[in-house]
Amino acid sequence: MRELMTLLSRQAFNGYPDEYLLARLKGRRAGLGGGRQSKAAAGGMTDAEAWDPMSSEFRWVYRQMNEGLRQTFAPLFLWFELRTIILCLRFRRGGERGKAAGLLPASLLAKPVQQAMTDDGEPAAVMDALSGLLTAVAEPYRGLGAIYRERGGREHEQRLVTLYLERMTDLPLHPVLREFFRALIDLRNLATLAKQLRWQLHEPQAFIRGGEITTERLGKVLAEENTAGLAALLAALPDMGAPPATPLDPEQQLFGWLTAKVRRLGRDLLGVGLVLDYLWRCFVEAHNLSLVIHGEGLDHETLGAEMIG
């Protein structure tokens, strides 16, 4: 896990014992939410402000952790930082270097990574520099610059995410984080399968290796254009509950399923699950606030159905 740590900011402070951090998180967990959703609904919040509290909490938690816990959670912090990387790269492709730089003060990414995304140069050169750094995660990242040149930004982003999640299945993660990432891969694969069936697309290479549901099973349902097969895969997920009313649009129910799983993992007596639960709650709050901002004008029932419970 030390290789992943090179991509996160170095901390001069050595952090606190686990017991101290866990006690603080239990108290802070009770205070999440507050009146921010009302402010967002009233039009008093931007999308960037919706995500700022999550970034702030992540930085605070990371700083409080001791070195051992930072290494344990480096894969999760880097997963959330992929969003920062993708947004920065989109801004660079659009010629908005200043907007890319504006995302980074709140980021946990190491200085060399931040510099690679804001240096002078064409987007392809930015991709090359970033790809070289990301080989600390997985050697195949070295080819991302070529993928960008040959196939464009969409394919580049897809490979960025796929390589990361597949690498997580190969690392000796803590069992709680291993279970989280496996479930996250299932979520993304099933959501991808539903979209491809809905829009009659055939991109089996978009599926990610390492979930409970194999890429072969997903590919078979896709090849047969089998909506019933998708519904069966969803229903077979442990603790999924009732299958979605609209199996071709299951993403929100899948997020609810993953959130319930994280809540159960949060009962982990050794504490890793509690930290995961807290960080995921911060993400869910930011996600829901963003939905409120972008869903202006939608009725409460429609907006509520889109939120992660």
Side-chain angles (χ1 to χ4, degrees):
M1 234 66 75
R2 292 186 180 276
E3 294 84 358
L4 301 187
M5 293 291 291
T6 65
L7 301 175
L8 292 170
S9 63
R10 297 183 64 180
Q11 301 292 309
F13 179 56
N14 291 328
Y16 294 104
D18 292 355
E19 294 78 10
Y20 170 85
L21 174 61
L22 296 175
R24 295 292 304 274
L25 291 183
K26 289 174 184 176
R28 292 172 82 91
R29 184 168 62 181
L32 283 177
R36 284 195 284 262
Q37 200 166 112
S38 299
K39 181 181 178 183
M45 182 180 289
T46 65
D47 188 65
E49 289 172 333
W51 292 96
D52 281 348
M54 183 189 87
S55 299
S56 177
E57 284 301 295
F58 279 20
R59 289 197 311 275
W60 181 86
V61 173
Y62 189 72
R63 187 172 185 274
Q64 306 304 304
M65 287 176 167
N66 56 51
E67 189 66 16
L69 207 52
R70 286 173 191 162
Q71 287 193 34
T72 296
F73 276 92
L76 187 70
F77 284 116
L78 273 174
W79 164 251
F80 283 110
E81 287 294 348
L82 282 190
R83 176 181 179 272
T84 305
I85 291 172
I86 287 171
L87 289 175
C88 281
L89 294 177
R90 287 178 184 175
F91 284 136
R92 291 304 305 265
R93 292 200 301 270
E96 297 177 291
R97 182 179 168 192
K99 285 188 176 181
L103 294 173
L104 297 175
S107 172
L108 277 172
L109 290 170
K111 292 299 181 185
V113 182
Q114 295 193 22
Q115 184 174 342
M117 293 190 293
T118 54
D119 272 350
D120 292 333
E122 294 298 314
V126 174
M127 306 299 174
D128 286 335
L130 182 62
S131 298
L133 292 168
L134 290 177
T135 56
V137 177
E139 181 61 30
Y141 269 126
R142 198 177 299 280
L144 281 183
I147 289 176
Y148 174 75
R149 290 182 178 86
E150 296 166 10
R151 306 177 198 173
R154 178 178 173 274
E155 181 103 7
H156 178 272
E157 290 178 9
Q158 181 177 300
R159 290 297 296 159
L160 185 69
V161 169
T162 296
L163 286 172
Y164 189 86
L165 289 178
E166 290 187 343
R167 178 58 176 153
M168 293 305 101
T169 67
D170 297 329
L171 291 177
L173 302 181
H174 185 283
V176 167
L177 291 179
R178 184 184 306 117
E179 186 170 348
F180 170 80
F181 276 111
R182 287 180 71 86
L184 181 62
I185 290 170
D186 282 327
L187 181 154
R188 293 187 67 91
N189 280 340
L190 288 167
T192 296
L193 175 60
K195 289 175 183 176
Q196 293 200 34
L197 288 172
R198 184 166 69 245
W199 299 109
Q200 297 184 315
L201 303 172
H202 287 271
E203 299 177 6
Q205 72 277 6
F207 299 129
I208 303 166
R209 172 183 57 82
E212 293 291 339
I213 302 172
T214 66
T215 56
E216 289 77 16
R217 290 177 68 191
L218 294 160
K220 185 174 185 292
V221 172
L222 178 62
E224 295 173 352
E225 299 182 356
N226 188 350
T227 303
L230 169 61
L233 291 178
L234 290 166
L237 288 174
D239 302 310
M240 182 61 173
T246 53
L248 289 184
D249 190 17
E251 190 164 15
Q252 290 312 113
Q253 185 156 351
L254 283 164
F255 267 114
W257 166 77
L258 179 56
T259 297
K261 178 182 284 288
V262 171
R263 295 288 186 272
R264 290 192 295 274
L265 293 172
R267 302 179 191 131
D268 165 39
L269 296 178
L270 297 179
V272 169
L274 190 152
V275 179
L276 170 65
D277 179 39
Y278 182 75
L279 296 174
W280 186 254
R281 286 172 189 261
C282 292
F283 162 74
V284 168
E285 180 186 59
H287 172 90
N288 288 342
L289 284 173
S290 182
L291 281 177
V292 170
I293 292 166
H294 291 290
E296 185 178 0
L298 293 177
D299 61 80
H300 290 295
E301 184 176 349
T302 301
L303 191 57
E306 291 295 314
M307 288 188 175
I308 303 174

